[in-house]
Amino acid sequence: MKSGFSSDGSPVSRLVEAFHKLPGIGPKVAQRLTYHLLRAPVEEARALAEAILDVKEKIRLCSRCFNITDVDPCTFCEDEGRDRTIVCVVEKPLDLLAIERVGKYKGLYHVLHGALAPNEGVGPEGLKVRELLVRLQGSPVREVILATNTSLEGETTAMYLQRVLSPLGIRVTRLARGLPFGADLEYADDLTLSTAIEGRQPV
Amino acid sequence: MPQPRVYETEAVVIRKMNLGEADRLLTLYTSSLGKLRAVAKGVRRPRSKLGGNVELLTCSRLMLARGRNLDIITQSQSIDSFMAIKTDLQRTSWGLYVAELVDRFTPERQASRALFELLLKTLNRLAGDGAGETALRYFEIHLLELAGYRPQLSRCPGCNRELPLSCRLSFSPVAGGLLCMKCRAGEPEVISLSADAIRMLGRLQDSDGEDVLKTGLSQALNAEIGGVLQEYISYILEGRVRSAAWLRQLRNGV
Ligand SMILES: [Zn+2]
Ligand SMILES: [Zn+2]
């Protein structure tokens, strides 16, 4: 590859290659990180290595909501203060954190770990869908909020979930879609604009 | 003369992949350059000016700047976002199947106005109230033709003899057509087709499909023709069509 370094198997080139494999890290940055660590005190390097191992060895998925956690069930599922009659379905753990950051939602979560992408070979069996259905059976949950992305895959996932959830007799809602704050109407795409018009509110 | 740095084209987004923090690598099927891959920067942020105009199954007029490796989309204007497709699970699934086939059958940067038009025509049909499955059969047959794999229905590709009309025959994916009784004997991998299915394949192949689409194929005929085309397509692609598995799942009621 045109990465500007040769792979000679030495510790330095092994580390450069390992960084280069990470998302968003090009060959230049991989080299910079490696040289930074070469000059850094050994404690800093050890702390980084241990943190990486800890993530792999101690972090797992919550057996109820499939969020990443170091305790099972996770703190959200165990929190007695949260409303157990409502579940918010998100694509990935980062989406859960985004909703938490706002602090408006006090129910439970369910992390799908992806969205339907039939043309990429991702069907419902590749997501935590069956787990959601099992979890909802005989549970006190009365509402499921579909908080998947507004991308085509996210919308497809939401339409699919609505189809499989409707026989359960649970209220299914979708996060409101419309114009983002700070947006110029002129740049809004047709789908955003039309859902925004449909979902208009009295002021 | 050097190529201009910036150019404009109509394009349908047929595939996408996340790139870095907020970018996307898109596969476009364009009116003027055929299939090409391009980067949409910052498009995953809610305030992106490209936003939904570069979503899958959307037709837009795009401005692109030539990059060192990949071209970069600088401006977009929606032509048709095919909302009727995107607000329906079945139609979205059909549309993704069409997009996957266009992607897998085409080389990069080989323009085909005919294929671009077939793609748009098919998406329009899927967005309409007509028979979606039948529109897919029309699309498959004509995509095969444009890609150089026109199913041979009137002459046996083995011996070039004219085939008998109105009787059951066998389709050979390897030979790319219907075999006569004699040639069929040596071919292990054949699919038997009813006379009705053969006639309908011919009608779809040699027309603009409008008359067939008006009534739509019966479910049985659709399954028969769809099955043989899927075998032929898988043979050519040397692998299964991913979204076809999902369409089957939907048909069986997920
Ligand atoms: Zn949990
Ligand atoms: Zn023959």
Side-chain angles (χ1 to χ4, degrees):
Chain A
M1 262 192 73
K2 44 195 179 304
S3 42
F5 58 89
S6 62
S7 163
D8 54 11
S10 73
V12 170
S13 64
R14 269 171 51 213
L15 187 56
V16 173
E17 272 172 54
F19 278 130
H20 187 24
K21 273 191 197 147
L22 299 175
I25 299 206
K28 286 268 156 53
V29 176
Q31 284 174 359
R32 225 164 57 221
L33 290 172
T34 302
Y35 289 116
H36 168 80
L37 283 171
L38 272 177
R39 285 194 302 265
V42 69
E43 297 78 47
E44 189 182 327
R46 181 166 291 127
L48 175 66
E50 279 171 0
I52 292 171
L53 278 179
D54 274 1
V55 162
K56 293 311 290 178
E57 284 164 5
K58 294 187 186 149
I59 299 292
R60 56 207 139 139
L61 299 185
C62 170
S63 58
R64 289 185 201 165
C65 71
F66 300 91
N67 187 23
I68 48 174
T69 176
D70 56 351
V71 287
D72 187 19
C74 73
T75 49
F76 297 113
C77 288
E78 283 290 56
D79 184 350
E80 290 299 326
R82 300 189 80 102
D83 184 347
R84 273 149 207 290
T85 66
I86 178 162
V87 171
C88 178
V89 179
V90 293
E91 288 183 21
K92 52 187 190 299
L94 284 177
D95 300 338
L96 183 157
L97 291 180
I99 294 175
E100 273 306 297
R101 209 168 46 226
V102 179
K104 269 213 151 181
Y105 177 70
K106 290 286 171 232
L108 300 175
Y109 288 99
H110 190 88
V111 185
L112 293 172
H113 290 275
L116 283 181
N119 51 335
E120 305 293 343
V122 183
E125 44 313 310
L127 309 173
K128 303 290 180 197
V129 170
R130 203 170 41 86
E131 290 82 349
L132 173 65
L133 296 175
V134 169
R135 181 180 171 195
L136 293 174
Q137 299 277 342
S139 77
V141 173
R142 288 201 310 265
E143 178 178 352
V144 172
I145 305 174
L146 303 176
T148 51
N149 288 340
T150 59
S151 64
L152 184 115
E153 294 87 342
E155 292 290 338
T156 306
T157 310
M159 289 189 284
Y160 167 73
L161 286 177
Q162 191 190 355
R163 180 180 286 196
V164 294
L165 290 175
S166 65
L168 300 182
I170 298 172
R171 185 171 127 95
V172 181
T173 55
R174 179 91 172 104
L175 283 194
R177 287 149 296 173
L179 295 168
F181 281 98
D184 252 20
L185 267 189
E186 125 181 58
Y187 293 119
D189 61 275
D190 299 0
L191 205 57
T192 302
L193 212 47
S194 82
T195 42
I197 292 167
E198 279 167 22
R200 67 188 185 277
Q201 304 276 324
V203 288
Chain B
M1 208 175 76
Q3 288 183 310
R5 233 183 62 72
V6 185
Y7 61 96
E8 205 180 298
T9 184
E10 274 177 40
V12 176
V13 182
I14 55 174
R15 196 172 180 189
K16 69 178 191 193
M17 217 181 79
N18 286 345
L19 202 67
E21 289 282 302
D23 305 345
R24 268 199 188 117
L25 176 59
L26 303 176
T27 307
L28 309 169
Y29 200 84
T30 68
S31 58
S32 51
L33 294 159
K35 181 169 87 176
L36 64 94
R37 296 192 303 155
V39 178
K41 288 203 181 276
V43 71
R44 282 147 67 202
R45 298 202 178 93
R47 279 178 219 180
S48 160
K49 288 178 181 177
L50 296 173
N53 295 340
V54 290
E55 182 53 86
L56 279 167
L57 306 181
T58 301
C59 180
S60 298
R61 171 160 291 284
L62 300 179
M63 189 82 91
L64 292 106
R66 282 178 223 280
R68 246 186 320 161
N69 298 316
L70 291 159
D71 295 353
I72 292 164
I73 301 171
T74 56
Q75 279 179 53
S76 69
Q77 193 186 8
S78 160
I79 295 173
D80 196 337
S81 51
F82 297 107
M83 260 192 291
I85 292 181
K86 291 173 191 165
T87 49
D88 182 90
L89 182 60
Q90 178 67 70
R91 289 176 184 179
T92 302
S93 307
W94 282 331
L96 288 173
Y97 171 76
V98 167
E100 184 183 348
L101 280 190
V102 170
D103 182 34
R104 291 181 66 180
F105 266 96
T106 52
E108 274 190 52
R109 292 184 189 266
Q110 204 177 93
S112 165
R113 185 77 211 184
L115 181 47
F116 183 75
E117 271 157 20
L118 175 64
L119 173 58
L120 279 189
K121 185 195 243 180
T122 307
L123 291 177
N124 272 311
R125 285 173 173 174
L126 294 181
D129 291 324
E133 284 282 347
T134 308
L136 287 194
R137 300 295 86 81
Y138 178 90
F139 166 76
E140 289 161 341
I141 290 168
H142 287 267
L143 173 71
L144 284 165
E145 170 144 8
L146 290 171
Y149 298 98
R150 178 186 165 98
Q152 297 293 315
L153 304 176
S154 51
R155 277 177 184 280
C156 169
C159 62
N160 203 32
R161 256 196 292 271
E162 211 160 305
L163 291 164
L165 291 167
S166 53
C167 75
R168 183 169 270 278
L169 287 169
S170 296
F171 185 91
S172 159
V174 183
L178 294 168
L179 295 178
C180 70
M181 294 303 190
K182 238 178 77 194
C183 292
R184 185 233 141 107
E187 285 289 339
E189 308 279 329
V190 292
I191 307 143
S192 176
L193 272 180
S194 68
D196 273 354
I198 293 169
R199 205 168 25 246
M200 200 46 89
L201 268 170
R203 258 179 84 188
L204 284 169
Q205 190 170 58
D206 297 321
S207 71
D208 63 1
E210 287 301 334
D211 57 329
V212 184
L213 271 141
K214 225 169 273 163
T215 43
L217 297 175
S218 71
Q219 216 174 350
L221 217 46
N222 232 318
E224 193 180 359
I225 295 176
V228 71
L229 289 173
Q230 200 54 231
E231 284 306 315
Y232 187 30
I233 287 168
S234 304
Y235 171 77
I236 295 164
L237 296 176
E238 296 177 357
R240 296 270 149 201
V241 183
R242 290 180 290 266
S243 37
W246 169 246
L247 287 181
R248 265 193 303 281
Q249 230 172 313
L250 270 184
R251 260 197 303 277
N252 298 335
V254 279

